């Protein structure tokens, strides 16, 4: 595969292993968003040829350990347009990451398509290369990978090849690294691939607050700087080069999409959260996962619009800050959310409850479009809430351990308000 398909003007050389992975990513995105496996089935022979070719390149170069030992850069571009050149990871590291990820994704698609042989083959190859990846790049005593750049740490976390404790350690190092790189520098040192995964990797490892702070950052380099600088603010576009306004025109596009992956994080921030099941929202067993306050506890409102294969959906909410416990004698507080789902879709809306220092029981009043559907007290023994009949509302449950309410709703528009107040046990 050349760098550009179909080849027209640029990119007629053998594709960089990372950049050509777009072939698999496109098919997997269709599968992940809509559950549609037909695009993969149509191109499964080409997928196999592509992955076989990648394996041949790997074997001909003698494996990752030999590539690293001999300085063999497997790839032409690797991490593109890093914010700090001293933090650019080796091409081979980025190529190996993308190859492992495409093998994992191809295995999932092959299994869904009913080809168990290919699914197991791709999974085994992914596992084998992951083990070599860990042997070559992982420094377990330092909770780090290769040279410890932001991109290297973020990519390693995305592969899901670490134990829970190992991932927590790497996440802590990544978080510390972002702090150490300095607020005045915007904290970013990543390029195209690091940016794609760093916000999710931070959030997954328990540092969503750092990811949110990065997103709000405005010094150069940052997305905020692209949008808010005084010289040439981006409008409906993003730049190719972090410091575009201070560089010449060579390879310096102002209409580039490679940093638009922040949209995924924005949806999570607004409450479209979690690793959604393939074909999410199509059944009660696989509902669309929605969460009031998303992944940041000190946000007070957000709204998101997107779609699944059944049509557009909307989720908007407002809530008081949940950053720490409230006083035991606090007055009632109110939260609100509206959700609109297309025909044939289901949503699971999670709403956190305010915690107090001493009292875990709550007096709740739940209203939908002006009608009271529940009013009463919940505590550790009230794990399910009986509610007034409401078309489209399957259930309301109280999860004591997570201290949340869960609403299972189906097609239609719902407008919920929740009033909650601590009560003595």
């Amino acid at each position: 595969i050349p760098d550009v398909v179909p080849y027209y003007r640029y990119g007629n050389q053998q594709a960089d292993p990372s950049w050509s992975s777009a072939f698999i990513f496109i098919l997997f995105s269709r599968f992940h968003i809509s559950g549609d496996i037909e695009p993969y089935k149509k191109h499964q022979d080409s997928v196999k040829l592509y992955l076989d070719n990648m394996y041949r390149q790997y074997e001909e170069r003698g494996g990752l350990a030999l590539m690293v030992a001999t300085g063999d850069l497997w790839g032409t571009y690797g991490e593109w347009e890093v914010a700090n050149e001293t933090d650019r990871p080796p091409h081979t590291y980025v190529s190996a990451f993308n190859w492992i990820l495409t093998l994992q994704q191809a295995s999932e698609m092959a299994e869904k398509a009913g080809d168990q042989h290919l699914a197991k083959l791709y999974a085994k190859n992914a596992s084998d290369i992951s083990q070599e990846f860990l042997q070559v790049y992982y420094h377990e005593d330092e909770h780090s990978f290769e040279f410890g750049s932001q991109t290297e740490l973020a990519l390693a976390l995305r592969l899901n090849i670490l134990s829970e404790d190992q991932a927590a350690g790497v996440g802590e190092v990544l978080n510390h690294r972002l702090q150490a790189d300095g607020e005045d520098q915007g904290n970013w040192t990543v390029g195209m691939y690091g940016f794609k995964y760093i916000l999710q990797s931070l959030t997954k490892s328990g540092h969503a607050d750092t990811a949110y702070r990065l997103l709000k950052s405005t010094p150069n380099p940052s997305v905020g700087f692209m949008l808010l600088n005084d010289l040439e603010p981006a409008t409906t576009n993003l730049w190719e080069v972090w410091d575009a306004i201070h560089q010449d025109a060579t390879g310096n596009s102002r209409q580039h999409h490679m940093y638009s992956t922040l949209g995924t994080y924005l949806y999570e921030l607004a409450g479209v959260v979690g690793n959604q099941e393939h074909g999410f929202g199509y059944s009660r067993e696989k509902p669309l996962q929605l969460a009031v306050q998303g992944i940041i506890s000190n946000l007070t409102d957000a709204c998101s619009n997107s779609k699944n294969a059944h049509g557009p959906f909307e989720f908007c909410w407002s809530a008081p800050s949940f950053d720490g416990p409230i006083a035991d004698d606090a007055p009632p507080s109110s939260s609100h959310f509206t959700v609109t789902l297309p025909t044939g879709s289901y949503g699971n809306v999670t709403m956190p409850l305010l915690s107090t220092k001493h009292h875990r029981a709550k007096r709740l009043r739940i209203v939908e479009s002006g009608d009271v559907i529940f009013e009463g007290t919940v505590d550790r023994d009230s794990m399910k809430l009986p509610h007034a009949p409401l078309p489209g509302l399957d259930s309301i449950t109280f999860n004591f351990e997570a201290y949340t309410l869960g609403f299972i709703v189906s097609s239609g528009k719902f407008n919920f308000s929740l009033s909650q107040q601590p009560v003595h046990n």
Side-chain angles (χ1 to χ4, degrees):
I1 299 178
D3 279 324
V4 178
V5 180
Y7 167 67
Y8 175 65
R9 184 179 179 186
Y10 297 109
N12 63 333
Q13 61 188 0
Q14 178 174 303
D16 181 283
S18 295
W19 291 38
S20 61
S21 62
F23 172 43
I24 309 298
F25 292 161
I26 290 170
L27 296 175
F28 188 78
S29 293
R30 284 287 301 273
F31 169 54
H32 181 73
I33 293 171
S34 67
D36 185 4
I37 199 61
E38 293 306 315
Y40 168 79
K41 287 183 176 180
K42 180 179 179 180
H43 297 287
Q44 59 186 337
D45 292 341
S46 296
V47 169
K48 187 175 186 306
L49 288 171
Y50 170 79
L51 293 174
D52 286 348
N53 178 262
M54 289 289 294
Y55 202 88
R56 280 195 298 272
Q57 292 183 43
Y58 165 80
E59 287 191 318
E60 289 171 359
R61 293 172 179 271
L64 295 180
L66 184 60
M67 289 185 227
V68 172
T70 60
D72 181 1
L73 297 180
W74 187 21
T76 307
Y77 311 114
E79 176 69 306
W80 191 247
E81 297 296 352
V82 291
N84 186 331
E85 190 62 37
T86 61
D87 249 11
R88 181 186 295 277
H91 291 353
T92 303
Y93 187 97
V94 182
S95 295
F97 161 80
N98 279 293
W99 184 30
I100 295 169
L101 188 58
T102 55
L103 282 167
Q104 292 173 343
Q105 294 175 342
S107 177
E108 287 191 49
M109 292 188 289
E111 182 175 9
K112 181 66 174 181
D115 192 331
Q116 297 302 316
H117 172 72
L118 271 184
K120 291 179 180 178
L121 175 64
Y122 294 152
K124 182 179 185 304
N125 288 345
S127 177
D128 291 345
I129 306 307
S130 295
Q131 290 306 307
E132 187 177 11
F133 186 88
L134 290 171
Q135 291 169 7
V136 172
Y137 294 120
Y138 182 40
H139 310 301
E140 186 167 11
D141 56 335
E142 301 173 3
H143 306 293
S144 186
F145 279 79
E146 191 60 347
F147 304 114
S149 72
Q150 293 180 13
T151 291
E152 288 161 345
L153 298 173
L155 299 191
L157 287 168
R158 172 59 184 85
L159 286 176
N160 298 320
I161 58 176
L162 297 169
S163 70
E164 185 175 337
D165 288 343
Q166 289 173 332
V170 174
E172 191 63 41
V173 170
L174 175 59
N175 184 60
H176 176 74
R177 176 65 197 275
L178 286 158
Q179 306 290 343
D181 284 333
E183 188 75 37
D184 60 330
Q185 296 300 315
N187 299 105
W188 302 102
T189 67
V190 297
M192 174 174 66
Y193 286 108
F195 184 83
K196 182 176 182 179
Y197 298 110
I198 192 169
L199 297 174
Q200 284 79 12
S201 291
L202 282 166
T203 299
K204 183 179 177 181
S205 58
H207 302 288
D209 54 340
T210 299
Y212 183 48
R213 179 177 54 78
L214 284 170
L215 192 63
K216 295 194 299 179
S217 177
T218 58
N220 182 21
S222 67
V223 175
F225 180 79
M226 289 188 198
L227 299 173
L228 300 175
N229 73 88
D230 295 331
L231 299 175
E232 188 187 329
T235 52
T236 59
N237 56 299
L238 292 172
W239 303 341
E240 178 182 14
V241 181
W242 286 105
D243 195 28
I245 59 176
H246 298 130
Q247 305 296 326
D248 61 32
T250 305
N252 191 357
S253 167
R254 300 298 204 277
Q255 184 65 30
H256 232 64
H257 69 278
M258 67 187 197
Y259 296 124
S260 61
T261 50
L262 66 88
T264 300
Y265 179 75
L266 289 175
Y267 276 115
E268 292 181 352
L269 196 67
V272 185
V273 299
N275 292 320
Q276 304 287 359
E277 296 287 344
H278 306 309
F280 62 84
Y282 301 145
S283 69
R284 189 184 184 283
E285 290 70 32
K286 290 186 176 182
L288 178 67
Q289 299 294 331
L290 305 169
V292 171
Q293 295 203 295
I295 55 178
I296 301 292
S297 63
N298 58 5
L299 285 185
T300 57
D301 61 273
C303 198
S304 59
N305 295 274
S306 190
K307 63 181 179 180
N308 60 22
H310 288 177
F313 64 84
E314 180 180 75
F315 178 56
C316 301
W317 56 264
S318 63
S321 173
F322 283 67
D323 193 13
I326 63 173
D328 294 338
D329 57 351
S333 63
S334 296
S335 304
H336 310 274
F337 74 84
T338 61
V339 57
T340 304
L341 298 173
T343 301
S345 294
Y346 290 78
N348 178 26
V349 183
T350 302
M351 176 178 285
L353 296 174
L354 290 170
S355 62
T356 61
K357 293 182 178 180
H358 303 103
H359 305 304
R360 297 296 298 271
K362 286 286 181 295
R363 180 73 179 176
L364 299 180
R365 177 182 171 91
I366 303 174
V367 177
E368 200 287 319
S369 298
D371 295 325
V372 177
I373 60 173
F374 175 83
E375 188 165 16
T377 300
V378 295
D379 55 29
R380 67 171 63 246
D381 299 320
S382 303
M383 299 301 289
K384 192 171 182 66
L385 281 64
H387 58 83
L390 178 67
L393 176 61
D394 186 88
S395 66
I396 307 175
T397 56
F398 171 53
N399 185 325
F400 177 78
E401 295 302 323
Y403 216 49
T404 59
L405 291 180
F407 299 76
I408 298 291
V409 295
S410 59
S411 313
K413 181 175 183 177
F414 302 89
N415 185 356
F416 283 94
S417 295
L418 168 70
S419 175
Q420 52 180 308
Q421 185 176 25
V423 297
H424 292 278
N425 292 324

